[in-house]
Amino acid sequence: KAGVTQTPRYLIKTRGQQVTLSCSPISGHRSVSWYQQTPGQGLQFLFEYFSETQRNKGNFPGRFSGRQFSNSRSEMNVSTLELGDSALYLCASSLSILDSSYNEQFFGPGTRLTVL
Amino acid sequence: DQQVKQNSPSLSVQEGRISILNCDYTNSMFDYFLWYKKYPAEGPTFLISISSIKDKNEDGRFTVFLNKSAKHLSLHIVPSQPGDSAVYFCAASATGYNTDKLIFGTGTRLQVFP
């Protein structure tokens, strides 16, 4: 079974530009979450999508947005890039079975975004 | 507000010895805890988890202990191997809220030397 894939793996942008990152979850997984990893901050939760709807959101400015398509693939967009947006962006998918105690998340390799 | 804390940014252990990684949390609603391992340029991989109804969970060389009253959990690796050298993240979840959201600690870099 193929794992979570993310494209592109590396990206260099300049301040003020916008960027779109893509995530393809494991086949059959319905939930996709996005995290930002920066040195010293660990992984910070961005948002979570389930059945094309955002069902949870972290404490990030409105410049960060996302969406999920009917095939569960997800994209996240960052507009008006700032230097501080340089980070590793990780996508995770899970089965998200209702009434399950916990749905384990499987992570992709991430997209390394550098803002110059 | 850091709800999950890993106060040791790094740990160095000799091969064959025990590695103990610690994690503290503040939110009483957390009832499921996980440890992830991360190598550079890769996404985190799931290692072991524990539900709040248990105080210990073992999987081979890895054991996680949970002390609910102290809001503290630890990961024990015995014996430690050079391949265990990686960054370890503790994560917590509040189940029953229709979300798979994880709150992560800042990570502990483990180095196992020969």
Side-chain angles (χ1 to χ4, degrees):
Chain A
K1 200 178 211 182
V4 178
T5 58
Q6 292 187 244
T7 57
R9 291 293 310 278
Y10 302 91
L11 205 49
I12 299 176
K13 292 284 188 179
T14 56
R15 279 180 299 173
Q17 287 187 308
Q18 76 166 21
V19 66
T20 299
L21 312 181
S22 181
C23 171
S24 292
I26 292 172
S27 176
H29 283 197
R30 302 160 68 194
S31 169
V32 173
S33 297
W34 289 88
Y35 295 84
Q36 180 196 65
Q37 185 190 6
T38 53
Q41 292 296 315
L43 281 75
Q44 303 282 314
F45 173 78
L46 279 156
F47 26 62
E48 176 188 17
Y49 287 88
F50 178 81
S51 292
E52 302 178 64
T53 301
Q54 186 183 88
R55 69 177 180 182
N56 215 329
K57 190 178 189 305
N59 296 324
F60 279 81
R63 300 186 296 107
F64 292 81
S65 63
R67 58 178 176 169
Q68 186 181 33
F69 302 94
S70 58
N71 61 358
S72 293
R73 190 177 71 84
S74 177
E75 288 181 348
M76 68 162 280
N77 184 75
V78 189
S79 62
T80 320
L81 284 166
E82 300 177 359
L83 294 178
D85 297 333
S86 294
L88 180 68
Y89 290 88
L90 292 157
C91 165
S93 74
S94 63
L95 278 169
S96 208
I97 301 170
L98 294 177
D99 299 327
S100 171
S101 59
Y102 181 74
N103 298 281
E104 181 185 321
Q105 294 198 3
F106 296 83
F107 283 82
T111 294
R112 171 72 62 184
L113 172 65
T114 301
V115 181
L116 302 176
Chain B
D1 177 27
Q2 193 72 28
Q3 297 184 67
V4 178
K5 301 176 186 178
Q6 293 177 257
N7 292 318
S8 298
S10 63
L11 176 67
S12 190
V13 172
Q14 188 173 31
E15 182 179 6
R17 302 275 189 160
I18 183 171
S19 294
I20 300 177
L21 294 88
N22 294 303
C23 178
D24 297 293
Y25 63 96
T26 58
N27 192 336
S28 320
M29 303 305 294
F30 291 148
D31 58 357
Y32 201 84
F33 305 90
L34 307 90
W35 285 93
Y36 280 83
K37 177 180 178 179
K38 188 179 185 300
Y39 293 114
E42 294 182 13
T45 54
F46 169 75
L47 200 55
I48 191 169
S49 63
I50 188 167
S51 165
S52 60
I53 62 174
K54 296 185 176 181
D55 54 18
K56 178 182 173 181
N57 189 26
E58 271 184 277
D59 185 1
R61 296 185 299 115
F62 303 92
T63 303
V64 56
F65 295 92
L66 174 63
N67 183 333
K68 279 183 63 179
S69 60
K71 292 191 175 67
H72 176 83
L73 64 155
S74 60
L75 173 68
H76 292 211
I77 306 174
V78 184
S80 301
Q81 299 174 354
D84 296 329
S85 298
V87 178
Y88 289 78
F89 289 98
C90 168
S93 178
T95 62
Y97 290 88
N98 197 29
T99 180
D100 297 332
K101 171 183 173 180
L102 288 173
I103 304 298
F104 282 86
T106 51
T108 296
R109 182 177 301 278
L110 173 65
Q111 183 180 5
V112 180
F113 59 93

